[in-house]
Amino acid sequence: MVLRTVAGAGPGVRTGEDVEDLRSWLQRLDGGPPVHETVLLACPQHGDERPTWAFVEADASTGIARRRCLACAASMPLLESERHWTHPPMFACAGCGHSIAEVAAGLSVPDGQHVTWVVLAARCVECGRLGGLTDVVLPDVPLAEVLASL
Ligand SMILES: [Zn+2]
Ligand SMILES: [Zn+2]
């Protein structure tokens, strides 16, 4: 189930200097459940220096997404996106058209332990524009399980 609050929503067109701006943008989203945690999504294949630049494919209407690390091309689906893949087009910034983005997830964790909603947003690394990618409602999935499949 998907809320479809993200695409085109949010507090107007915003740009962000860095991923901290992206995280605070996620926390201020209107129209969805409260976001309690934000996570910058980096590629886990690189030891301590985890690159954050990625190509992203996301479908706002079905709650699926997948990103591909710019450095190593590793593919990282959001949750069970691969099972329901709809072949959405690659993300392109609505402002400048570039496709490389930094991606962060906002999690609604009402009881502090179980996630009920995940929202994904991107920051264009070229012009800094912030925007929602997709969101998905979850049936009280344990936080650790969600963090392992972002
Ligand atoms: Zn990588
Ligand atoms: Zn841009």
Side-chain angles (χ1 to χ4, degrees), residues 43 46 69 72:
C43 179
H46 304 264
C69 173
C72 77

Side-chain angles (χ1 to χ4, degrees), residues 33 48 54 61 77 83 95 97 104 106 125 130 144 148:
D48 290 341
S61 66
R83 284 232 308 257
V125 302
L130 308 174

Side-chain angles (χ1 to χ4, degrees), residues 14 19-29 38 130:
R14 285 285 315 273
V19 291
E20 288 312 311
D21 289 342
L22 178 57
R23 292 165 80 137
S24 58
W25 185 85
L26 276 168
Q27 281 163 342
R28 290 197 308 270
L29 271 181
T38 58
L130 308 174

Side-chain angles (χ1 to χ4, degrees), residues 91-100 123-130:
F91 162 83
C93 173
C96 74
H98 277 253
S99 286
I100 302 167
R123 189 187 81 89
C124 171
V125 302
E126 183 69 21
C127 74
R129 185 173 172 130
L130 308 174

